[in-house]
Amino acid sequence: MLAILRTPEGKKFLTAVAIVFIIAVTVVSKVTFQGVEDQYNLPMDQWSVSMYFIQGAWATIYSIMFTIIGSLPFGFYFLGPKDDRG
């Protein structure tokens, strides 16, 4: 698998995965943290450390899952079999 990722197509795939991860972290963390503020009318300066930790954990878990799902099409595109039927 590492040999595949060291090819030019593999590097393009890893770049696409990194971009998908950055987008997922940005969107999910914004929604997660802003959602708690809006839902409970609790500004972030009143949050306890455990609230930051829990929301950060949720944002991390969701970002990883959205990255896996969002990277599947790029995996098929960059790492899939190449043929002449293009």
Side-chain angles (χ1 to χ4, degrees), residues 3-81:
I4 294 172
L5 293 178
R6 289 184 180 147
T7 63
E9 290 84 15
K11 291 179 182 180
K12 290 176 188 176
F13 170 70
L14 291 176
T15 303
V17 169
I19 292 169
V20 169
F21 181 73
I22 291 169
I23 292 170
V25 166
T26 304
V27 171
V28 169
S29 61
K30 169 85 171 143
V31 169
T32 302
F33 287 99
Q34 190 66 38
V36 171
E37 281 188 349
D38 294 343
Q39 185 73 26
Y40 299 107
N41 295 323
L42 187 64
M44 290 181 81
D45 59 353
Q46 296 177 356
W47 286 21
S48 65
V49 175
S50 64
M51 288 180 71
Y52 282 108
F53 180 74
I54 291 170
Q55 293 305 314
W58 279 115
T60 303
I61 292 167
Y62 279 116
S63 296
I64 290 170
M65 296 313 298
F66 284 132
T67 301
I68 292 169
I69 293 169
S71 297
L72 287 175
F74 293 110
F76 289 120
Y77 182 75
F78 289 120
L79 304 177

